[in-house]
Amino acid sequence: MKELLTRSLSGFLYVLILLLSIFVSRYTYIGVFLIFGLLSIYEFQKLIHLKNKRLYIIFIILLALLCFYQKALYFYVILPILLLTIVTELFLIKDLITIRIIPMFEKRKYFTSIFYLITSIIFLILIPNYSGVYQPYIIAGAFLITWVNDSFAYLVGKNFGKHKLLERISPKKTIEGFVGGFIFSLLAGYLIAIFSNTLSINIWLIISIIMSIFGTLGDLIQSKFKRQAGVKDSGTIMPGHGGIYDRLDSVIFASPFLYAFLQILKHVS
């Protein structure tokens, strides 16, 4: 009972801080994710057995440049970084599916830390300002869809799951759970479209598909990193939940794909 109470309180505070940061202003959102990003980098470095202070400096510099000079740097910096990030994540997906251990030799540790973790966090920060105007409901909706996906994947999998999704990486995840999370994500996207008066229903359904599929892949990839490191959680900052990277793994991995979709939407429309 005490453990459940601790977990519930910890989760509530995390969601409260996150949503307040989103809806107060663009700058509170950037500030909170500056802290979350630094913590995630620290936790990820522990998983891959890397100690490099330069990664924190790279994160802060990229965040400052891309957040405050987004329009000026769009074609020459943001798009190339977006492409490199998506390619890096596609290779991580390949490694997840095809090989037993993700190879993390020294040079790849740096490359993965930058073009998977650091840049993905920055795209997560850029998403609500993708059109040049800060839109908090876009990023809040993406987080909500991710939480719905995770919750119902767990509930459906626990009660109806029979077929393992990727047993060697995450024994508890099932195909039934993934399908359940996916369906309820679509429902969440539909309801957000109805009540938020932001994007169309079709656009929110596509966002739901992106967050569900790539969020699940991000969770599995983080599980593989943790399994290789021989740990249950990436950190201990959130009692009952693990680390910040544990809470953000899904949405971090999905963020460059969502940002790319929103940019396509912006330029097409």
Side-chain angles (χ1 to χ4, degrees):
M1 184 66 183
K2 184 180 178 182
E3 184 179 344
L4 178 62
L5 183 62
T6 301
R7 180 180 172 85
S8 300
L9 181 60
S10 175
F12 173 76
L13 287 173
Y14 163 72
V15 171
L16 182 65
I17 290 169
L18 185 60
L19 292 180
L20 281 175
S21 74
I22 290 171
F23 286 107
V24 168
S25 76
R26 180 189 177 208
Y27 300 104
T28 54
Y29 178 61
I30 292 172
V32 166
F33 267 85
L34 169 63
I35 297 169
F36 282 1
L38 292 171
L39 289 170
S40 296
I41 294 166
Y42 171 75
E43 292 168 355
F44 183 67
Q45 286 198 76
K46 283 202 306 179
L47 289 184
I48 62 172
H49 306 295
L50 180 66
K51 291 183 179 180
N52 193 312
K53 294 178 181 178
R54 283 176 293 183
L55 292 175
Y56 302 106
I57 297 170
I58 290 169
F59 171 63
I60 292 169
I61 291 172
L62 282 177
L63 186 149
L65 285 174
L66 301 188
C67 285
F68 297 108
Y69 299 96
Q70 188 171 352
K71 188 174 180 181
L73 297 174
Y74 180 75
F75 286 104
Y76 304 106
V77 181
I78 292 179
L79 283 185
I81 289 176
L82 179 61
L83 180 61
L84 278 170
T85 305
I86 289 174
V87 169
T88 302
E89 293 198 350
L90 291 176
F91 271 103
L92 286 173
I93 294 170
K94 179 190 74 69
D95 290 344
L96 173 72
I97 297 169
T98 60
I99 60 178
R100 190 168 178 270
I101 295 175
I102 298 176
M104 291 299 286
F105 47 84
E106 204 65 19
K107 287 183 179 179
R108 185 166 178 181
K109 287 182 181 181
Y110 294 111
F111 195 87
T112 304
S113 297
I114 294 170
F115 291 108
Y116 152 57
L117 187 66
I118 289 176
T119 55
S120 293
I121 293 170
I122 289 171
F123 285 118
L124 186 61
I125 298 169
L126 293 178
I127 283 169
N129 206 55
Y130 79 95
S131 64
V133 177
Y134 184 64
Q135 300 181 65
Y137 284 100
I138 303 297
I139 192 63
F143 272 105
L144 180 59
I145 289 166
T146 302
W147 296 335
V148 168
N149 181 71
D150 290 347
S151 299
F152 281 95
Y154 170 76
L155 291 172
V156 173
K158 183 179 180 181
N159 291 286
F160 305 103
K162 293 181 180 179
H163 303 88
K164 300 298 181 182
L165 183 63
L166 204 59
E167 188 171 9
R168 60 189 170 85
I169 303 301
S170 187
K172 293 182 180 179
K173 282 187 170 54
T174 63
I175 294 172
E176 291 84 358
F178 169 73
V179 172
F182 182 80
I183 291 170
F184 278 95
S185 294
L186 291 177
L187 177 60
Y190 176 80
L191 293 174
I192 291 168
I194 295 296
F195 291 106
S196 69
N197 194 29
T198 50
L199 303 171
S200 71
I201 291 173
N202 288 337
I203 298 303
W204 273 111
L205 290 178
I206 294 172
I207 291 174
S208 299
I209 292 169
I210 292 170
M211 300 312 294
S212 179
I213 293 175
F214 289 105
T216 300
L217 287 168
D219 186 47
L220 286 168
I221 286 167
Q222 197 231 23
S223 294
K224 193 160 187 173
F225 280 126
K226 289 191 292 187
R227 186 169 287 272
Q228 289 179 202
V231 297
K232 181 178 180 290
D233 297 312
S234 66
T236 57
I237 196 169
M238 291 180 61
H241 292 272
I244 291 296
Y245 179 43
D246 287 307
R247 294 302 91 210
L248 292 174
D249 57 352
S250 298
V251 74
I252 284 174
F253 193 84
S255 66
F257 297 97
L258 177 57
Y259 184 81
F261 169 68
L262 291 172
Q263 288 304 314
I264 293 168
L265 182 69
K266 174 187 170 184
H267 288 93
V268 168
S269 60

